């Protein structure tokens, strides 16, 4: 804070000179874990004090519960598919006033230009957006990304006031092995927060990973994994987004065991707009945590001060004198429905969608090679690797199976469809082919350029003709999502911003998303969990057991390719 503003705040607090007062609130104190009844005085975006106050503007809380503004401790804005301003509008309505964003999605497509774009586009928002620099661009050596970012490339962002540290270290194999490029990045951020990403890492490998520097993890798939990582000094992000829905069992085990919670926080990681609109954001995780036995006040701590302390955000995450005036008023501490949201001392009102000027470095990101007629032909020689997504998780299972064959080539059937990943950054023509279970597409295809984390084009279908139309459609519109059936495009959402985000108004994006889900249902795909999110994670070679990248079918557990494209 500038000296003049600090002097003014001190004087205002001493003289009780409040500009805005929230009166008659039940205030959640995240330091003492108590609920205090009183007023909160605000001026110039700073909380002056708690007690009995009057101000030029007053809001009567009528006994509702006033909490610090909620904090998402790990999120990829790009996964909402909306421009940051649209995303901010929606989550602020749910009480989230601060996020720790990792722009590694756009960075994997556009490199440092993508990071700069996200910093510029979030500078003027009423949402506080802090960033962790992407550690893995590319994510691994087992896929083709649009860019490569080295430690040297990161140095230009080190002094940016909203850059906090190093984003999730997904290449845990390189980290544990102490490989040079990864060590350069870890050393650059050794005195700053470093996020982890280490699914199912345990024992000596986990010890080595922690020694390397990561101090958080959001990939725990069970309570025992939470416990081991917590005992190792890691701060645990409990994630509930659109794809990963298995956290409620962990909540119950945490509540039953009485595990200390002050080094745990909440995150969404990846959550689509329609899920945020229908369920909520961090307030939804609060709701589910309390429903599964977590004490409400401790749950509020997990959604606020715990995250602020993890990332060194002094002055965030609490209602106390000198803290930033980010607050949310809830009707109760069970449902967590926001009645009022205050950010930087101002009552938040959703803003109209503003026009966005296209950036040529970020748009026009789909570069595919011309397709040959047999580009999707998959030869079969004996039992073939089959990818099985695990319901409610990002994990997959691998089986080796006899599959339907015609003229020596795989054909869809018996619940199996074809999966393809096309390199879309450098027009190399590289195409990885595989077989997928659990996405029972009939007479059609689904495709997207959102393919974590290198974001190549992913397409699944039961016939090559519809799959090729889906590919052509995404190439024409600059990326996005599409559903095709019997030669016709049933639904499409264009994502021209790096092939990841739309610059359209929020309601139009939501409308297109609903049309996509309805079209997928016509193909026989169950919409209980979002099939497009399932599709978008099938190329991520850092989560067990098996993935498909543009380089082939990859066994994540054993770090080897099971099947590579034939020349």
């Amino acid at each position: 804070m500038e000296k003049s503003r600090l002097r003014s705040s001190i004087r205002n607090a001493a003289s009780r000179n409040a500009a805005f007062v929230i009166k008659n609130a039940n205030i959640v104190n995240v330091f003492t874990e108590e609920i205090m009844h009183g007023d909160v005085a605000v001026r110039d975006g700073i909380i002056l004090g708690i007690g009995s106050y009057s101000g030029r503007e007053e809001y009567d809380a009528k006994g509702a519960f006033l909490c610090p503004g909620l904090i998402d401790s790990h999120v990829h804005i790009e996964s909402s598919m909306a421009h940051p301003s649209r995303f901010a509008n929606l989550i602020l309505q749910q009480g989230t006033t601060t996020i720790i964003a990792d722009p590694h999605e756009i960075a994997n497509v556009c490199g440092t230009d993508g990071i700069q774009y996200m910093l510029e586009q979030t500078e003027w928002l009423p949402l506080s957006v802090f960033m962790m620099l992407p550690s893995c661009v590319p994510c691994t050596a087992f896929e083709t990304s649009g860019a490569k970012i080295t430690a040297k490339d990161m140095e230009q962002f080190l002094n940016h006031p909203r850059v906090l540290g190093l984003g999730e270290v997904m290449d845990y194999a390189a980290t544990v092995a102490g490989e040079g490029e990864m060590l350069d990045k870890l050393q650059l951020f050794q005195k700053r927060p470093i996020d982890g990403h280490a699914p199912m890492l345990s024992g000596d490998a986990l010890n080595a990973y922690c020694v390397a520097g990561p101090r958080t993890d959001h990939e725990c798939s069970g309570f025992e994994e939470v416990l081991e990582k917590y005992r190792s000094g890691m701060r645990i992000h409990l994630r509930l987004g659109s794809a990963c829905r298995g956290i409620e069992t962990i909540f119950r085990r945490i509540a039953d065991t009485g595990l200390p919670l002050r080094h745990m926080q909440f995150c969404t990681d990846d959550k689509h707009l329609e899920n945020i609109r229908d369920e909520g954001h961090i307030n939804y995780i609060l709701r589910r945590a309390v429903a599964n036995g977590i004490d409400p006040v401790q749950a509020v701590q997990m959604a606020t001060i715990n995250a602020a302390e993890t990332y060194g955000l002094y002055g965030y995450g609490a209602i106390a004198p000198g803290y930033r005036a980010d607050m949310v008023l809830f009707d109760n501490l069970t449902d967590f429905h926001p009645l009022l949201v205050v950010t930087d001392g101002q009552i938040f009102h959703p803003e109209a969608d503003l026009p966005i000027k296209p950036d040529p470095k970020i748009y026009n990101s789909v570069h595919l090679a011309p397709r040959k007629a047999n580009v999707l032909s998959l030869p079969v020689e004996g039992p073939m690797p089959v990818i099985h997504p695990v319901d409610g998780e990002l994990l997959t299972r691998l089986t080796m199976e006899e599959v339907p064959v015609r003229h020596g080539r795989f054909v869809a059937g018996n619940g199996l469809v074809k999966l393809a990943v096309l390199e879309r950054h450098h027009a190399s023509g590289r195409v990885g082919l595989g077989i997928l279970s659990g996405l029972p597409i009939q007479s059609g295809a689904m495709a997207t350029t959102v393919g974590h984390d290198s974001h190549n084009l992913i397409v699944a279908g039961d016939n090559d003709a519809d799959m090729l139309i889906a590919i052509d459609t995404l190439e024409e519109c600059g990326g996005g999502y599409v559903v095709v059936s019997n030669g016709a495009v049933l639904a499409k959402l264009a994502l021209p911003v790096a092939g990841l985000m739309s610059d359209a108004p929020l309601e139009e994006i939501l409308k297109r998303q609903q049309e996509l889900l309805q079209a997928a249902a016509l193909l026989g795909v169950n919409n209980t969990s979002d099939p497009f999110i399932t599709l978008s994670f099938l190329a991520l070679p850092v989560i067990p057991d098996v993935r498909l990248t543009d380089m082939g079918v990859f066994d994540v557990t054993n770090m080897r390719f099971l099947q590579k494209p034939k020349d």
Side-chain angles (χ1 to χ4, degrees):
M1 187 187 301
E2 295 179 359
K3 185 184 291 187
S4 60
R5 186 178 178 189
L6 177 59
R7 182 183 292 113
S8 175
S9 295
I10 294 170
R11 290 173 176 171
N12 287 327
S15 63
R16 304 176 68 84
N17 184 19
F20 174 54
V21 175
I22 298 177
K23 298 188 69 68
N24 303 317
N26 279 312
I27 304 155
V28 176
N29 190 307
V30 294
F31 301 118
T32 60
E33 297 186 7
E34 62 183 324
I35 296 175
M36 307 160 53
H37 188 81
D39 308 335
V40 178
V42 174
R43 189 179 182 90
D44 298 329
I46 302 298
I47 295 171
L48 301 182
I50 299 170
S52 179
Y53 284 88
S54 59
R56 288 202 306 268
E57 181 183 359
E58 295 181 349
Y59 182 94
D60 188 355
K62 299 178 181 178
F65 292 87
L66 190 64
C67 298
L70 307 183
I71 301 174
D72 190 335
S73 58
H74 174 71
V75 62
H76 306 289
I77 296 173
E78 305 96 308
S79 293
S80 71
M81 297 184 286
H83 183 273
S85 63
R86 316 312 199 214
F87 175 73
N89 256 355
L90 191 58
I91 68 171
L92 277 163
Q93 294 175 54
Q94 304 293 340
T96 301
T97 58
T98 301
I99 64 172
I100 316 300
D102 183 340
H104 80 206
E105 316 294 0
I106 197 168
N108 267 284
V109 177
C110 304
T112 56
D113 286 340
I115 298 173
Q116 187 62 44
Y117 177 83
M118 295 301 278
L119 284 168
E120 290 172 356
Q121 296 299 311
T122 55
E123 180 68 36
W124 45 273
L125 299 179
L127 177 75
S128 292
V129 180
F130 295 94
M131 292 200 182
M132 304 289 280
L133 292 185
S135 67
C136 297
V137 180
C139 175
T140 69
F142 311 118
E143 56 185 333
T144 305
S145 67
K148 181 176 182 178
I149 296 179
T150 66
K152 187 70 175 175
D153 297 325
M154 293 178 172
E155 290 178 359
Q156 63 185 292
F157 300 107
L158 286 179
N159 294 323
H160 194 287
R162 291 190 290 117
V163 170
L164 302 180
L166 187 64
E168 55 181 313
V169 180
M170 293 179 290
D171 195 347
Y172 48 82
T175 303
V176 170
E179 292 183 4
E181 281 195 25
M182 184 55 69
L183 284 185
D184 289 342
K185 296 172 185 176
L186 291 165
Q187 195 164 26
L188 186 64
F189 291 90
Q190 61 182 334
K191 294 184 179 180
R192 295 195 185 196
I194 298 176
D195 277 337
H197 172 117
M200 303 176 72
L201 206 63
S202 181
D204 291 342
L206 177 61
N207 293 339
Y209 188 77
C210 290
V211 168
R215 284 291 178 266
T216 73
D217 188 81
H218 57 271
E219 291 291 343
C220 295
S221 57
F223 177 75
E224 295 305 322
E225 187 174 359
V226 167
L227 190 59
E228 182 180 8
K229 288 176 176 174
Y230 211 30
R231 285 170 171 167
S232 298
M234 301 190 90
R235 292 175 180 254
I236 305 299
H237 294 341
L238 296 169
R239 174 180 63 191
L240 185 51
S242 290
C244 188
R245 313 290 284 188
I247 200 68
E248 301 206 22
T249 301
I250 295 176
F251 281 146
R252 290 193 290 273
R253 291 292 306 278
I254 288 171
D256 291 343
T257 58
L259 201 63
L261 302 176
R262 281 293 269 122
H263 287 172
M264 293 186 183
Q265 48 265 316
F266 298 145
C267 77
T268 58
D269 197 1
D270 301 284
K271 191 161 187 176
H272 283 189
L273 288 180
E274 77 276 9
N275 297 129
I276 297 171
R277 182 187 61 177
D278 295 343
E279 298 174 343
H281 194 242
I282 296 298
N283 62 322
Y284 176 67
I285 308 181
L286 272 169
R287 192 179 312 143
R288 300 316 308 153
V290 171
N292 284 281
I294 303 295
D295 175 82
V297 174
Q298 291 182 325
V300 171
Q301 287 178 320
M302 296 164 79
T304 57
I305 193 65
N306 292 10
E309 291 179 348
T310 292
Y311 291 99
L313 295 179
Y314 179 76
Y316 285 75
I319 299 175
Y323 275 71
R324 179 181 162 98
D326 291 344
M327 296 173 283
V328 55
L329 189 68
F330 290 118
D331 50 356
N332 57 59
L333 296 183
T334 303
D335 300 316
F336 294 98
H337 295 305
L339 303 174
L340 176 79
V341 177
V342 175
T343 174
D344 197 25
Q346 301 294 316
I347 295 175
F348 171 71
H349 300 287
E351 298 177 350
D353 285 316
L354 301 174
I356 299 167
K357 184 179 179 180
D359 185 332
K361 297 190 296 295
I362 306 301
Y363 288 62
N364 308 313
S365 67
V366 178
H367 307 290
L368 292 169
R371 265 78 66 200
K372 298 177 182 178
N374 64 345
V375 66
L376 300 179
S377 179
L378 176 57
V380 174
E381 298 175 359
M384 298 287 285
V386 176
I387 302 169
H388 299 261
V390 177
D391 286 343
E393 298 287 347
L394 299 182
L395 301 171
T396 58
R397 291 188 301 104
L398 167 66
T399 60
M400 298 299 295
E401 301 180 23
E402 297 289 343
V403 300
V405 180
R406 184 181 302 138
H407 306 306
R409 308 284 169 168
F410 169 73
V411 292
N414 301 333
L416 304 178
V417 298
K418 187 179 294 182
L419 184 67
V421 176
L422 289 76
E423 191 278 311
R424 64 109 163 171
H425 305 294
H426 311 291
S428 68
R430 189 180 299 110
V431 180
L433 295 171
I435 301 170
L436 178 66
S437 176
L439 205 66
I441 297 169
Q442 300 172 23
S443 303
M446 301 165 51
T448 181
T449 51
V450 179
H452 302 283
D453 275 325
S454 288
H455 298 291
N456 289 303
L457 193 154
I458 305 176
V459 57
D462 71 342
N463 69 91
D464 290 0
D466 283 337
M467 292 174 73
L468 287 168
I469 291 172
I471 294 166
D472 292 343
T473 301
L474 293 183
E475 184 177 33
E476 291 168 5
C477 71
Y481 287 86
V482 66
V483 177
V484 176
S485 181
N486 295 317
V489 174
L490 300 185
K492 178 180 71 174
L493 169 60
L495 302 176
V497 184
L500 302 174
M501 294 179 285
S502 172
D503 52 8
L506 190 64
E507 287 305 316
E508 182 179 335
I509 300 172
L510 289 165
K511 180 175 181 288
R512 300 296 179 206
Q513 288 178 341
Q514 283 301 313
E515 291 171 352
L516 285 165
L517 289 171
Q518 292 165 5
L522 293 176
L523 269 57
V525 177
N526 187 337
N527 289 336
T528 303
S529 59
D530 192 320
F532 296 99
I533 293 181
T534 299
L535 187 65
S536 70
F537 276 96
L538 291 175
L540 181 58
V542 293
I543 298 182
D545 287 334
V546 60
R547 304 285 152 164
L548 177 69
T549 77
D550 62 302
M551 297 183 183
V553 180
F554 185 69
D555 180 345
V556 180
T557 305
N558 297 299
M559 304 297 286
R560 65 189 180 95
F561 281 100
L562 301 175
Q563 177 182 298
K564 289 190 173 185
K566 295 187 182 297
D567 295 332

